[in-house]
Amino acid sequence: MTPSKPRVGLFVTCLVDMFRPTVGFSAVKLLEEAGCDVDVPMDQTCCGQPAFNSGDNASARKVAAPLIDMFADYDYVVAPSGSCAGMIKKHFPELFADDPAMAARVQALSDKTHELVSFLTDIMKVDSVPAEFDGKVTYHDSCSGLRELKVKQQPRKLLNSIKGLEISELSEPETCCGFGGTFCVKYPEISGKMVGDKTRDITETGAKTLLAGDLGCLMNMAGKLAREGSNVEVRHVAEVLADMTMAAPPIAGKEGE
Amino acid sequence: MSVSTSPNFKENVHGALRDESLQRALGRLKTGFRDKRLAAIENLPEFEALRDQARDIKNHTLENLDHYLLTFEENVKANGGHVHWCADAEEARQVVAKICRDTNAKSVLKGKSMISEEIALNDFLEKQDLKVVETDLGEYIIQLRHEPPSHIIAPAIHVHKEEVADSFRETHKGRDPNRSLDEPRELLDEAREVMREHFFAADVGITGANFLIAETGTSVIVTNEGNGDLTQTLSRVHVAIASLEKVVPTLEDASSILRVLARSATGQEMSSYTTFSTGPRREGDLDGPEEYHVILLDNGRSNMLGTEFQDMLRCIRCAACMNHCPVYGAVGGHAYGWVYPGPMGSVLSPSLIGVDEAGHLPNASTFCGKCEEVCPMRIPLPKMMRHWREREFEKHLSPSSFRYGIKTWAFFASKPRLYRAVTGIASKVLAKMAGGKGRIAKLPLAGGWTDMRDFPAPEGKTFKELWAEKQAGKGDVK
Ligand code: SF4
């Protein structure tokens, strides 16, 4: 008897849902190729992080609570974002700490939630992908994935399995890009300075493509590169791993660019 | 000197980002601190274990703070010293003034002390007609420039050596106006010569304390220039000012924490000088002060005990958090507007001067987590900044437009069908606005974003719309 496929509930994330569906479809493809049965609960919206990080825990709980039941029946919950996966895994238990009735269910959700790429490598033991890509890319380590979930080597491992793809590292891959959710609109000048430092670093690598695992950071960096007139293309790492770069133009890039 | 205060954070930031000299100085944080710290900890495999140990020592002390403070007091007294408990800055200043009066002091030497900055001691003493001289080179430089420190261990990090030379030429009269002051060494030598005259004339020497050791009644300072120890040994009267949480139970505990302190701060294994002061000069001692006083300052710390901010009291002021903070690295210390900048200041300042005064500071963080990653005492700085945001939100201190925005968003995000409809429309509208260019250069209501960068356009349909279409195609609608 072959063991049944793990059932994965995809947590799409609000940004991917609204701005970049291709990342969601890339995630589905990667998960299915890794042998998962993927489902998308249609009532999901957001993980509540914008409210949580603004100190509005009541609103955060209101948005977060439905996810606990919605994803209860899956073996795993996977998000193409270190930030949102980190919110569920690390911060849901804090957010519901005062509610003992919820504690066990929240912990169960936390335990089975993963960021996409690390889920592929660490849980599904994927060590290569059949994608094609020609050229030099650089990779930004988004903060939450890196520090809360220890996502560092996993995306590099899979990217390195792609023939023709070469990674040219940033001089400071682990320095924040200045997105920070609401931070980037509350303190635009500091954010602008930080993302400016980041795009300089990106340009100096000589890579044609910038990849990362979080859409918020990618939109920030892509927006800045576009403003500077750079022709570096920006994509979510899942698009490259799933060989779906033909499905959409780069982030902030034109059709056919 | 422009007065920067915490409520003016945004204006301060605006200025700091345009200050080329400051930006050049901040560029030194990497080679000056970050690279050195990394090299030092790579050489010490047990560093992570030492961090745990350091955290545990402080946690244990904070749980038993009354006991260790009383033990410390007892032992200071047994050694012939004096302990003064001060609830706030004013009490502490008055105690210093009284000690100066009682000992007929004319001049005061200062070792580097952040607590004396916190209680604005220099201004106060100068108003009492006392001559105050800072002996730490960095502090001396900013004293000459009439500026506050911009960093907790490198107070003059924002100043270039050419500016120091200018200040020296202006203040140190009677020297060859054409002398060379191009090299750091020359500046150091001249500062040392000038200070030497002050050392021998000093009545009262005031220092901070990196640790207070309960079992021996000792205060400890950690320096690289050695002027701190001259301050406390050559003066007739030594006054150490320390906040309550500086106490540790034993000498051994202090040594354990010292192993993470210098490595985290400057990347040294140990600072050049670690000086232990236990009571006044005893019979037969070759040097040392005639009187030894310790001022134990609360100034808001005890209010943090037992709250979600207690962990902050583990801080040993190593500055690793600010050295690694991208926000500090962008704007420097003065922008924070009060004594403590960077992540540790963003947590501590609201505790000490109120969240209404310092509310910007815990908000001006991306929560990138770098500070917590490098903090030797494992202080969860981002989490505590978030707790300050919670307090602000509860007190209705955050801007009403922002509160309204969050509440409105939460309203939609908790109604899945409505949310799907609204995001579906928004995606299409934004995609249309981009007109096939993939980005929007100017977006109404999103000036904070588009002033700095383009706004990437959505693809057009939401993932959920497309997913539903796909499932419908498979005849398998959910
Ligand atoms: S918070 Fe941590 S890193 Fe920052 S100064 Fe204190 S001990 Fe050092």
Side-chain angles (χ1 to χ4, degrees):
Chain A
M1 193 183 102
T2 50
S4 64
K5 290 181 171 183
R7 291 192 64 230
V8 170
L10 181 68
F11 185 68
V12 184
T13 80
C14 57
L15 285 179
V16 165
D17 179 45
M18 190 164 154
F19 287 92
R20 196 112 180 128
T22 300
V23 175
F25 287 106
S26 302
V28 172
K29 184 169 176 226
L30 286 165
L31 289 166
E32 286 178 345
E33 282 173 359
C36 304
D37 201 357
V38 184
D39 189 26
V40 182
M42 289 299 267
D43 280 351
Q44 58 177 297
T45 59
C46 172
C47 63
Q49 191 170 183
F52 183 61
N53 283 349
S54 302
D56 182 0
N57 286 358
S59 294
R61 272 191 290 268
K62 188 157 119 183
V63 175
L67 300 180
I68 299 164
D69 286 336
M70 207 183 297
F71 285 94
D73 292 337
Y74 298 102
D75 297 323
Y76 298 104
V77 179
V78 175
S81 156
S83 173
C84 311
M87 174 71 196
I88 299 174
K89 203 170 182 63
K90 300 283 166 179
H91 300 299
F92 271 26
E94 273 173 70
L95 185 58
F96 294 98
D98 294 339
D99 193 341
M102 303 275 271
R105 286 184 302 147
V106 171
Q107 195 54 51
L109 176 65
S110 158
D111 290 345
K112 68 184 182 185
T113 298
H114 299 270
E115 179 276 336
L116 172 68
V117 181
S118 51
F119 176 76
L120 293 172
T121 56
D122 303 351
I123 307 292
M124 298 309 294
K125 307 293 176 203
V126 174
D127 51 22
S128 68
V129 289
E132 285 177 22
F133 191 93
D134 194 19
K136 217 189 219 184
V137 305
T138 192
Y139 191 88
H140 165 72
D141 295 295
S142 288
C143 300
S144 308
L146 175 71
R147 301 202 175 86
E148 290 182 342
L149 306 176
K150 311 284 172 246
V151 178
K152 176 75 187 181
Q153 291 314 321
Q154 300 92 327
R156 289 170 175 79
K157 176 176 175 176
L158 294 188
L159 287 169
N160 279 324
S161 76
I162 300 176
K163 243 210 333 252
L165 182 148
E166 184 197 331
I167 302 179
S168 173
E169 292 285 358
L170 294 164
S171 71
E172 296 198 30
E174 297 184 4
T175 298
C176 178
C177 72
F179 171 61
T182 55
F183 171 85
C184 70
V185 288
K186 281 201 286 187
Y187 297 96
E189 291 198 90
I190 308 176
S191 174
K193 159 85 169 112
M194 288 166 68
V195 71
D197 289 348
K198 184 54 81 174
T199 53
R200 189 169 339 109
D201 197 358
I202 293 166
T203 309
E204 281 167 10
T205 63
K208 282 195 325 210
T209 307
L210 165 70
L211 303 176
D214 258 283
L215 192 53
C217 317
L218 286 162
M219 288 174 67
N220 179 39
M221 295 181 288
K224 182 69 175 176
L225 286 163
R227 178 64 55 91
E228 290 169 345
S230 158
N231 45 26
V232 172
E233 296 190 348
V234 181
R235 290 185 182 277
H236 191 287
V237 63
E239 298 170 32
V240 170
L241 295 178
D243 210 1
M244 284 190 52
T245 56
M246 298 309 282
I251 299 166
K254 272 187 247 190
E255 208 67 59
E257 255 182 6
Chain B
M1 177 193 119
S2 67
V3 184
S4 49
T5 60
S6 298
N8 292 341
F9 180 72
K10 282 195 171 184
E11 292 78 16
N12 300 344
V13 161
H14 186 80
L17 288 168
R18 277 157 192 75
D19 182 342
E20 273 176 37
S21 161
L22 172 65
Q23 291 299 324
R24 212 158 25 93
L26 291 170
R28 296 194 289 253
L29 286 168
K30 182 173 176 343
T31 47
F33 291 110
R34 295 200 290 265
D35 293 351
K36 289 183 180 157
R37 171 190 171 276
L38 197 62
I41 64 172
E42 277 173 354
N43 277 331
L44 188 70
E46 67 268 41
F47 187 72
E48 293 305 312
L50 285 171
R51 286 173 75 182
D52 290 340
Q53 194 188 359
R55 173 199 57 204
D56 295 347
I57 291 170
K58 278 281 188 177
N59 278 350
H60 166 81
T61 314
L62 291 170
E63 291 303 329
N64 302 281
L65 194 59
D66 47 350
H67 167 72
Y68 288 115
L69 285 170
L70 290 169
T71 311
F72 174 76
E73 179 186 33
E74 229 170 80
N75 288 322
V76 171
K77 285 184 177 162
N79 295 327
H82 308 271
V83 173
H84 310 265
W85 299 79
C86 295
D88 58 24
E90 180 55 22
E91 279 188 22
R93 288 188 295 254
Q94 292 303 339
V95 168
V96 177
K98 183 164 187 315
I99 295 172
C100 291
R101 274 198 309 276
D102 291 352
T103 54
N104 273 324
K106 304 273 173 312
S107 65
V108 172
L109 277 187
K110 292 269 312 292
K112 188 180 157 356
S113 151
M114 288 310 294
I115 294 294
S116 85
E117 297 288 344
E118 181 180 323
I119 66 173
L121 188 60
N122 288 10
D123 284 353
F124 171 81
L125 293 178
E126 279 166 2
K127 284 195 193 113
Q128 318 278 316
D129 284 333
L130 286 156
K131 180 166 175 54
V132 183
V133 180
E134 292 285 353
T135 64
D136 172 85
L137 181 60
E139 288 284 346
Y140 179 66
I141 292 167
I142 59 167
Q143 188 186 23
L144 295 184
R145 290 167 58 92
H146 306 287
E147 278 180 327
S150 70
H151 188 280
I152 61 171
I153 65 166
I157 189 166
H158 59 287
V159 186
H160 297 280
K161 67 180 199 298
E162 297 74 21
E163 296 168 304
V164 177
D166 291 346
S167 299
F168 280 15
R169 281 184 211 287
E170 213 172 285
T171 344
H172 302 160
K173 306 282 187 220
R175 290 168 185 262
D176 177 6
N178 297 321
R179 67 194 184 279
S180 164
L181 287 174
D182 299 338
E183 296 303 319
R185 185 76 245 168
E186 293 166 332
L187 293 168
L188 203 64
D189 287 346
E190 177 161 323
R192 193 160 277 167
E193 272 173 41
V194 173
M195 269 174 214
R196 189 149 301 156
E197 297 155 22
H198 296 296
F199 278 128
F200 293 112
D203 298 313
V204 173
I206 300 177
T207 67
N210 291 85
F211 302 98
L212 303 174
I213 299 172
E215 68 169 354
T216 55
T218 302
S219 60
V220 183
I221 60 167
V222 172
T223 69
N224 274 320
E225 295 164 0
N227 290 347
D229 20 322
L230 294 180
T231 303
Q232 59 187 38
T233 40
L234 295 182
S235 305
R236 260 197 298 131
V237 178
H238 174 205
V239 183
I241 316 183
S243 47
L244 303 180
E245 79 281 10
K246 289 286 178 285
V247 72
V248 292
T250 64
L251 262 171
E252 176 99 26
D253 292 329
S255 319
S256 300
I257 302 178
L258 279 167
R259 298 190 69 194
V260 295
L261 173 57
R263 287 180 170 90
S264 302
T266 51
Q268 293 163 285
E269 285 176 14
M270 285 286 272
S271 303
S272 309
Y273 300 88
T274 303
T275 313
F276 297 76
S277 285
T278 312
R281 179 197 297 223
R282 272 159 293 207
E283 253 189 55
D285 282 356
L286 293 179
D287 54 19
E290 291 161 22
E291 289 182 27
Y292 174 72
H293 298 260
V294 180
I295 294 179
L296 287 177
L297 177 69
D298 182 345
N299 212 23
R301 271 81 178 173
S302 56
N303 290 336
M304 295 164 73
L305 288 169
T307 71
E308 64 265 58
F309 302 109
Q310 175 167 320
D311 289 347
M312 192 61 219
L313 296 174
R314 292 204 297 266
C315 175
I316 52 172
R317 306 291 190 268
C318 72
C321 55
M322 65 196 71
N323 292 338
H324 291 77
C325 173
V327 173
Y328 179 94
V331 303
H334 286 163
Y336 290 76
W338 199 58
V339 183
Y340 301 107
M344 57 79 67
S346 296
V347 176
L348 192 60
S349 298
S351 306
L352 304 186
I353 59 176
V355 69
D356 18 5
E357 182 78 9
H360 267 303
L361 309 186
N363 279 287
S365 161
T366 63
F367 286 165
C368 77
K370 188 71 192 179
C371 49
E372 181 175 356
E373 181 186 301
V374 297
C375 173
M377 305 306 288
R378 298 201 192 282
I379 299 174
L381 293 152
K383 179 164 145 183
M384 285 189 286
M385 287 183 229
R386 214 183 46 245
H387 287 321
W388 277 121
R389 297 183 192 185
E390 287 163 11
R391 296 256 182 126
E392 269 197 305
F393 205 89
E394 283 161 17
K395 284 182 152 184
H396 291 253
L397 289 171
S398 22
S400 57
S401 58
F402 182 70
R403 301 171 60 82
Y404 180 75
I406 293 283
K407 294 279 179 214
T408 310
W409 163 84
F411 172 83
F412 284 108
S414 52
K415 304 206 168 27
R417 288 169 60 102
L418 181 64
Y419 181 88
R420 268 205 306 274
V422 171
T423 49
I425 294 167
S427 286
K428 275 175 233 24
V429 171
L430 286 170
K432 224 182 163 103
M433 283 172 72
K437 287 205 299 292
R439 53 190 174 251
I440 302 166
K442 206 150 190 59
L443 193 61
L445 302 177
W449 183 285
T450 52
D451 286 350
M452 296 294 150
R453 42 185 123 45
D454 288 352
F455 190 79
E459 288 180 32
K461 282 188 177 178
T462 66
F463 176 82
K464 276 179 266 170
E465 286 173 323
L466 293 165
W467 182 257
E469 285 170 18
K470 229 175 132 185
Q471 301 299 312
K474 283 190 198 163
D476 167 17
V477 188
K478 296 251 161 91

